[in-house]
Amino acid sequence: MQWGVRESFRKYIEGPIAHGSISVGGGAQRSGDGFTFDAKSSALTSASAGEISFQGEVHFTGHNGALDMTLRNPTVVVNGTQAELRVDYASRKYEGMNSTGPVREGTQELLATIALNAAPDFSAQTTTIAGPTSLTTTGAEIFGGFYEVGAPLDPVTIELSLNDASGPAHSPKRAAAPPAQRDRAPPPARPASSASCLLYTSDAADERSSV
């Protein structure tokens, strides 16, 4: 999985204001303008629904630790033309350059929604999952209040091959929820058939704000 998180955020962290750094671990690597996460497993519930899990982490820090965020083990949950990007995280609430806020942690929290251009076809040998992303209420909290709800992260583009081994299939833990139910605990999905895959996401093309 290749994903840039948010281009302007990377530039801000490593720029002359935050004087920060970006590091990777747990199987993730920095690659070009984004990051590469190792594929871990997948579980499909139908020809257009399921979840794909990855391993690895990216750590952002700046302003002498006042800005501190780690995103781990991303999972993409797909249901037709709706999708979710979920992560494990540890993040410090940003309270200014000279203040140190409390650290919050969570497991597979809803970071962003993805409005897919078309529903995927998991019954095919390959399928594409693509669309713009929007930060959720929980995602805004994960970013320490740095961005508002609805702010764009880097858009997602997935070229999925069901022939690429990426680990054993498992029963999915969640299904992409309708908009009114997002940020709530999702109900369990029905058991999946066996499948494995690789996932790739693209870097941002445009930014709506300067950070």
Side-chain angles (χ1 to χ4, degrees), residues 107-186:
T107 301
Q108 291 301 292
E109 297 289 346
L110 179 55
L111 179 73
T113 58
I114 310 168
L116 300 182
N117 299 329
D121 182 6
F122 292 133
S123 66
Q125 292 295 318
T126 61
T127 191
T128 299
I129 303 171
T133 62
S134 298
L135 202 63
T136 63
T137 299
T138 303
E141 294 176 354
I142 291 173
F143 270 86
F146 216 67
Y147 300 111
E148 296 182 352
V149 175
L153 299 181
D154 284 4
V156 169
T157 299
I158 302 166
E159 298 296 336
L160 189 66
S161 172
L162 300 181
N163 291 326
D164 292 328
S166 63
H170 60 283
S171 296
K173 301 175 183 177
R174 60 192 67 81
Q181 297 181 6
R182 285 169 180 161
D183 293 321
R184 302 179 187 175

Side-chain angles (χ1 to χ4, degrees), residues 8 35 46 60 72 78 90 104 124 131 146 154 203-204:
S8 62
F35 310 99
S46 74
F60 302 87
R72 300 184 183 95
V78 179
R104 301 170 178 173
F146 216 67
D154 284 4
D203 194 14

